[in-house]
Amino acid sequence: MNGAELLVAALENEGVKRIFGLPGEENLAMVEALRRSSIKLVVTRHEQGAAFMAATHGRLTGTPGVCLTTLGPGALNLATGAAHALLGAMPMVMITGQKGVLSRKQARFQVVDVISTMTPLTKMARQIVSPTTIPALVREAFRIAQQERPGPVHLELPEDIAAEPAGEPRLIQPHPIEVPVAQPAALDRAAALILKAERPLIMLGAAASRPCLAGALSDFVKRVRIPFFNTQMGKGSVSGGAGLYMGTAALSERDYVHDAIDHADLIITIGHDTVEKPPFIMGPNGPTVLHVGYLPATVEEVYFPHAELIGDVGPSLTLLAQRLEGKLPNAGALVPLREEILAHIAARADESRYPLTPQRIVHDVRQVMPEDGIVCLDNGMYKVWFARNYRTRVANTLLLDNALATMGAGLPSAMTAAMLHPDRRVLAVCGDGGFMMNSQELETASRLALNLVVLVLQDNAFGMIRWKQAADGFPDFGMTFGNPDFVKYAHAYHMKGSRVDSADGLAPALDAAFAVGGVHVVSVPVDYAENSLVLIDELQAHAAERTRQP
Ligand SMILES: Cc1ncc(C[n+]2csc(CCOP(=O)(O)OP(=O)(O)O)c2C)c(N)n1
Ligand SMILES: [Mg+2]
């Protein structure tokens, strides 16, 4: 057994089934070891795609996704994926090659200090200096990647260490670890705050979407019957919701959901992670905030909770519910605001205009997606619309990145969702800018025979930035571009492509694409004139009306 074979055996020992990657010559021993292993090597067309795919594997399963690249140029292409997983708290293990460390037969060719590059982007970045250390290093890498707060780790395997005889060292077996539950004193304090609240409100944050949490969280909400809203990344973490969903805070203030937030006297934030754009801004005269999380809150100018309940969130919430159930006459105090908030959000969603409005696109996508269908967003203007308007009823069915908020992740993350859930409908939604950043992975998707529909919203612009430019009073400059013909582009990849050419054409086009199966690109022109009308003018008018009311 050599170093590479031992590394692969250690990955098998961790239960790894797939590695996403794009190897180089320094990885050849590793590639050969993979060929003879139970692990499938999923070759991508860009290392960034591999990293996004691995990160999404971690996000959706709670166990680290693994990606593999060569040294220097390949390893550096992982940087954005590492940052995406770090800010998004997605468990991921990145393995990169390196020239030999015991002798330098190629001098400094392609050598950059990848460990130093990865250090600020990971929870751990280590070079493997001897095969003997591999069992412990791999176990440690997986432990660190997976434990709260999850994130990426990096191991570098130099070419000569990969080839070095390793003997038959013992692998270290993983075992389950139960995280401690909140202390009784903290539970009592939290319960006291909630019992005395007159207008309580729950906020579900990014960590509420941990795959293991959906059941306990839904139970908690149903038992205490306090209405809830969510952050963008906390979307879908409560199934059903039983009439308690108040909206999604896609903007930081002044959206309709803030009518409820601004009236609350207690906000119980569950799993809030301040990597997200603030869902509300804490000020000196705001409501009391109780932070429930795996880890204490990071203190920010805009987030400084008054009390905390720290521990394994699911079991801690079960203990908290025991202290509260049936004792909260005020639980539903804010529920009467719900209807009006949701009505505002749903306004004009079925308007027949061409090019389509963002509201109509969200509405039609919801229509064709079953409850367990998964929508994966890239980053652009439509993210705000999907976060605000798309209703989710099953955990992790709207995947978006409101942390690094990088363009280019939508298609790769949808590919992983399609691999993990071949029985569900999976839709990638991308802008014409973000799609073109990783559209080469269409070839990977078709090689993997995935069933996946990619919806490309066409405005021939970096629409989000163009909108902000206009909103800030700058002249329209530098944000537009031309596009390939997306139907022909799909055909060039030997896949189906269609264009929506009427207001009522989107839902049937998506349905048809799903019915046929395989990878299918659907392009739809979008009219972003609604951005300013709805997100600025109407919200300003609403805010003015609210200040007029007593
Ligand atoms: C990698 C990366 N580069 C730049 C940005 C800044 N940015 C955010 S949204 C956006 C425009 C996205 O354009 P497009 O994908 O066409 O979506 P649209 O807003 O037009 O719907 C840009 C440039 C980013 N978030 N990520
Ligand atoms: Mg665009």
Side-chain angles (χ1 to χ4, degrees):
M1 193 179 256
N2 61 27
E5 288 163 337
L6 178 57
L7 178 55
V8 170
L11 295 173
E12 284 177 317
N13 188 52
E14 296 290 337
V16 174
K17 299 279 182 288
R18 301 185 178 100
I19 295 187
F20 305 95
L22 198 167
E25 65 178 288
E26 294 68 27
N27 306 117
L28 286 175
M30 175 89 181
V31 171
E32 173 56 15
L34 284 171
R35 187 180 69 82
R36 290 188 279 109
S37 76
S38 62
I39 299 174
K40 182 176 171 180
L41 176 64
V42 177
V43 172
T44 60
R45 304 305 300 272
H46 193 295
E47 291 84 354
Q48 199 180 82
F52 288 146
M53 290 184 79
T56 305
H57 175 99
R59 178 182 196 172
L60 285 177
T61 65
T63 56
V66 184
C67 54
L68 172 73
T69 76
T70 187
L71 76 174
L76 295 176
N77 276 346
L78 292 180
T80 304
H84 168 74
L86 184 72
L87 291 196
M90 305 171 199
M92 171 163 81
V93 173
M94 300 178 286
I95 299 168
T96 63
Q98 187 53 284
K99 293 292 181 199
V101 285
L102 303 175
S103 72
R104 277 199 177 198
K105 294 203 171 53
Q106 293 191 343
R108 282 185 293 168
F109 178 61
Q110 288 193 306
V111 174
V112 292
D113 184 349
V114 179
I115 300 288
S116 294
T117 308
M118 286 296 180
T119 297
L121 300 175
T122 54
K123 294 176 77 183
M124 159 187 168
R126 296 276 290 276
Q127 185 181 62
I128 300 174
V129 294
S130 142
T132 327
T133 59
I134 287 175
L137 262 183
V138 169
R139 182 77 280 276
E140 182 66 351
F142 276 75
R143 179 186 74 79
I144 290 176
Q146 199 164 349
Q147 106 189 356
E148 286 290 338
R149 177 179 183 275
V153 301
H154 169 234
L155 293 176
E156 180 180 73
L157 180 64
E159 198 175 6
D160 48 6
I161 307 299
E164 203 166 271
E168 297 286 332
R170 274 241 205 105
L171 297 173
I172 301 171
Q173 296 310 318
H175 53 256
I177 298 177
E178 279 79 28
V179 180
V181 175
Q183 302 261 349
L187 285 160
D188 291 343
R189 203 179 320 122
L193 272 177
I194 300 171
L195 288 166
K196 78 165 200 256
E198 289 173 14
R199 296 173 307 280
L201 186 62
I202 291 173
M203 180 184 93
L204 305 171
S209 295
R210 298 282 190 268
C212 57
L213 194 51
L217 198 56
S218 306
D219 280 353
F220 176 75
V221 171
K222 280 175 202 142
R223 284 175 74 182
V224 300
R225 304 210 53 80
I226 296 173
F228 68 91
F229 71 106
N230 47 253
T231 68
Q232 294 195 33
M233 290 176 82
K235 199 140 176 128
S237 42
V238 164
S239 51
L244 295 168
Y245 170 70
M246 302 291 284
T248 299
L251 309 176
S252 296
E253 51 192 346
R254 287 206 290 265
D255 203 348
Y256 300 108
V257 69
H258 294 93
D259 289 0
I261 297 170
D262 295 347
H263 277 94
D265 66 341
L266 173 71
I267 300 184
I268 306 154
T269 66
I270 301 179
H272 182 44
D273 191 329
T274 56
V275 291
E276 284 204 81
K277 197 179 263 191
F280 68 100
I281 312 268
M282 280 184 72
N285 306 318
T288 302
V289 173
L290 167 65
H291 173 92
V292 181
Y294 292 98
L295 298 171
T298 52
V299 179
E300 314 279 350
E301 251 172 81
V302 292
Y303 189 67
F304 43 89
H306 305 96
E308 312 209 14
L309 186 68
I310 305 306
D312 194 355
V313 173
S316 300
L317 286 177
T318 305
L319 293 175
L320 185 61
Q322 284 166 11
R323 287 163 164 80
L324 300 174
E325 201 171 8
K327 296 183 195 156
L328 295 173
N330 301 327
L334 292 174
V335 173
L337 297 175
R338 176 174 188 268
E339 213 167 296
E340 198 186 326
I341 293 171
L342 297 185
H344 275 300
I345 297 293
R348 300 203 309 278
D350 47 8
E351 203 169 74
S352 283
R353 250 169 51 194
Y354 189 84
L356 279 78
T357 63
Q359 300 95 309
R360 178 72 194 263
I361 292 172
V362 175
H363 172 270
D364 287 11
V365 166
R366 184 65 278 185
Q367 252 186 356
V368 301
M369 294 304 282
E371 289 217 327
D372 69 350
I374 303 175
V375 173
C376 300
L377 304 185
D378 204 272
N379 259 278
M381 192 63 224
Y382 52 89
K383 187 177 81 175
V384 174
W385 288 102
F386 270 86
R388 236 173 141 247
N389 295 30
Y390 191 78
R391 290 287 296 277
T392 50
R393 291 181 184 84
V394 174
N396 285 306
T397 51
L398 180 67
L399 295 193
L400 55 80
D401 172 6
N402 186 34
L404 184 67
T406 178
M407 294 162 74
L411 173 59
S413 64
M415 287 164 60
T416 295
M419 285 174 98
L420 292 171
H421 298 289
D423 50 327
R424 302 205 208 161
R425 281 190 174 184
V426 177
L427 177 74
V429 178
C430 307
D432 42 8
F435 173 65
M436 292 301 285
M437 283 193 181
N438 273 319
S439 61
Q440 76 285 347
E441 300 306 341
L442 285 176
E443 188 281 317
T444 312
S446 97
R447 181 164 23 91
L448 295 170
L450 299 179
N451 289 320
L452 175 66
V453 178
V454 184
L455 180 63
V456 181
L457 309 187
Q458 196 170 343
D459 66 339
N460 300 321
F462 295 120
M464 169 97 171
I465 312 301
R466 193 183 194 194
W467 172 60
K468 292 214 161 146
Q469 187 179 48
D472 288 352
F474 290 112
D476 189 13
F477 174 73
M479 298 301 160
T480 57
F481 46 71
N483 272 312
D485 177 326
F486 288 116
V487 176
K488 288 192 183 144
Y489 192 75
H491 292 165
Y493 282 94
H494 315 293
M495 56 185 57
K496 301 219 164 42
S498 51
R499 188 186 336 276
V500 175
D501 51 18
S502 72
D504 300 326
L506 175 60
L510 290 175
D511 253 332
F514 279 117
V516 173
V519 187
H520 197 127
V521 178
V522 177
S523 92
V524 61
V526 57
D527 178 1
Y528 277 142
E530 288 289 296
N531 293 341
S532 298
L533 177 68
V534 176
L535 300 179
I536 297 182
D537 303 349
E538 289 184 3
L539 289 182
Q540 270 172 3
H542 180 69
E545 191 183 318
R546 262 181 48 191
T547 44
R548 274 200 303 275
Q549 281 167 7

